[in-house]
Amino acid sequence: MALGPVPRGSFGRVTVRSVAVLGAGLMGRGIAYVSAVGGYRTLLQDTSNGALDKAGAEISALLEKGTATGKLKGEEAAAAHQRLLTCRGIEEAVRDADLVIEAVPEDIQVKVELFASRDKLAPRHAILASNTSSLSITEMAAATARAPQVVGMHFFNPVHRMRLLEIVRALETSESTLQLAAEVGTRMGKECVTVRESPGFVTSRINAMIGNEAFYMLQEGIASAADIDRALKLGLNHPMGPFELVDLVGLDTRLAILKFLHRTLGEKFRPCPLIEQYVAAGRLGRKSGRGVFDYPAGT
Ligand code: NAD
């Protein structure tokens, strides 16, 4: 991506120059990458040193690949690398941030606690965003004293490749916060759609339904996992089969989404017992080396 001048990101009175990303797992590291490449000073924070090390290595590899494939010039990749820092403490991560995006596990309790603490630690003007796939941004906003500055920024996996950013308007999100989120998202190379808050928004609600139905089919022995994937790819033109996709997303994350949708939207989202069994067995997808399919080390 060619970089233009330093982003102003100014809407209303907020100018985004510095972005903090909380949680350096699958999503956080991808968001940190597009943020740094988009020209923002980026602080990636996680409570786990292991996650930060892995994130640093993956972001470096992505930058190298970007230059090798001609998507980034060498100097752009070097500048993005310089703009990116990692840290373990939340205070250090957010104290100078204009925008804070959290990508910690899909658990409302963890997210609400994180919103309460970053509300106290981040500058008063900062926008607080969540990358949740399904949960209530309004509930997270209620833990802060700045509900108009709280918004959902739902990125997709892998973040550097997926074009969509779903921007979620909570009950009290202001118009200027929505516009700022869209402006930053565009700068990060994304196309934005804005949705009113509702469990699972647009994408996770449909995706969870398809993925859960695929598990029921597998459980009923209708076809093998590989053939269910092939059927959806070749017959319905899906770029990935539902099992390839859930292995990428993480079965634990998908199960958390399904449980929430079941609670809020009803019986049609009851998680298939087979996905519960896989998660209980530690088969979480690519990240654990085994999900629906196996991923020997290095694949
Ligand atoms: P993950 O399990 O890969 O990463 C979560 C990271 O958060 C871990 O590194 C963990 O150490 C860290 N963490 C936990 N508690 C923390 C805290 N209090 N402060 C800082 N770091 C903390 O999870 P993920 O797949 O990256 O998902 C993160 C969020 O993104 C979830 O809300 C999920 O629903 C959403 N999301 C996931 C996907 C996907 O495909 N996996 C897609 C879109 C959105």
Side-chain angles (χ1 to χ4, degrees), residues 21-29 31 45-52 88 90 102-107 110-111 113-114 130-135 140 153-159 204 245-246 248-250 252-254 256-257 287:
V21 181
L22 311 182
L26 277 178
M27 296 304 291
R29 61 187 77 142
I31 297 168
Q45 181 264 352
D46 201 292
T47 44
S48 145
N49 271 336
L52 286 175
R88 286 196 60 190
I90 183 171
E102 70 77 18
V104 303
E106 190 75 343
D107 175 328
V110 176
K111 290 190 190 281
E113 278 165 26
L114 199 61
S130 171
N131 182 52
T132 177
S133 307
S134 60
L135 302 172
M140 299 175 211
M153 291 179 78
H154 183 204
F155 290 84
F156 293 81
N157 182 12
V159 182
S204 299
L245 185 55
V246 77
L248 186 69
V249 166
D252 51 340
T253 299
R254 173 65 61 75
I257 294 168
K287 64 185 172 185

Side-chain angles (χ1 to χ4, degrees), residues 8 20 25 58 68 123 128 134 152 157 175 186 217 227 260 283-284 295:
R8 300 290 302 167
E58 283 191 12
L128 306 183
S134 60
N157 182 12
E175 209 53 47
T186 305
M217 288 179 183
D227 279 351
F260 176 67
R283 291 172 64 165
L284 306 184
Y295 302 91

Side-chain angles (χ1 to χ4, degrees), residues 60-270:
S60 297
L62 275 181
L63 289 170
E64 268 172 37
K65 199 168 164 198
T67 45
T69 54
K71 286 193 186 124
L72 286 172
K73 292 189 187 133
E75 61 270 25
E76 290 169 343
H81 209 275
Q82 277 205 328
R83 280 191 286 267
L84 184 71
L85 295 170
T86 59
C87 65
R88 286 196 60 190
I90 183 171
E91 184 165 5
E92 183 184 348
V94 307
R95 68 178 167 224
D96 294 322
D98 305 306
L99 168 66
V100 185
I101 306 174
E102 70 77 18
V104 303
E106 190 75 343
D107 175 328
I108 190 67
Q109 216 41 52
V110 176
K111 290 190 190 281
V112 161
E113 278 165 26
L114 199 61
F115 266 80
S117 53
R118 63 187 159 144
D119 183 44
K120 291 192 185 81
L121 298 170
R124 192 62 203 95
H125 70 271
I127 304 293
L128 306 183
S130 171
N131 182 52
T132 177
S133 307
S134 60
L135 302 172
S136 169
I137 308 291
T138 301
E139 197 173 337
M140 299 175 211
T144 75
R146 60 176 99 186
Q149 291 161 242
V150 175
V151 66
M153 291 179 78
H154 183 204
F155 290 84
F156 293 81
N157 182 12
V159 182
H160 67 284
R161 288 232 306 270
M162 298 298 283
R163 284 162 54 208
L164 181 63
L165 174 64
E166 206 174 21
I167 294 176
V168 184
R169 176 203 290 268
L171 186 66
E172 294 178 28
T173 309
S174 73
E175 209 53 47
S176 61
T177 298
L178 287 173
Q179 283 163 340
L180 188 93
E183 197 176 301
V184 170
T186 305
R187 180 78 208 181
M188 291 180 180
K190 304 302 165 202
E191 290 184 34
C192 304
V193 296
T194 302
V195 305
R196 192 168 53 80
E197 176 179 305
S198 165
F201 320 129
V202 170
T203 50
S204 299
R205 181 162 159 180
I206 295 211
N207 200 20
M209 174 65 81
I210 293 173
N212 204 34
E213 201 55 35
F215 269 106
Y216 275 114
M217 288 179 183
L218 187 62
Q219 183 177 275
E220 290 163 21
I222 289 172
S224 68
D227 279 351
I228 293 171
D229 271 6
R230 276 203 330 179
L232 266 78
K233 286 195 282 191
L234 301 180
L236 303 184
N237 220 10
H238 288 202
M240 293 177 85
F243 295 122
E244 274 178 276
L245 185 55
V246 77
D247 275 355
L248 186 69
V249 166
L251 275 70
D252 51 340
T253 299
R254 173 65 61 75
L255 181 59
I257 294 168
L258 276 168
K259 284 182 173 167
F260 176 67
L261 296 182
H262 182 222
R263 258 197 333 275
T264 49
L265 298 177
E267 206 42 39
K268 63 187 175 181
F269 285 99
R270 178 182 289 280

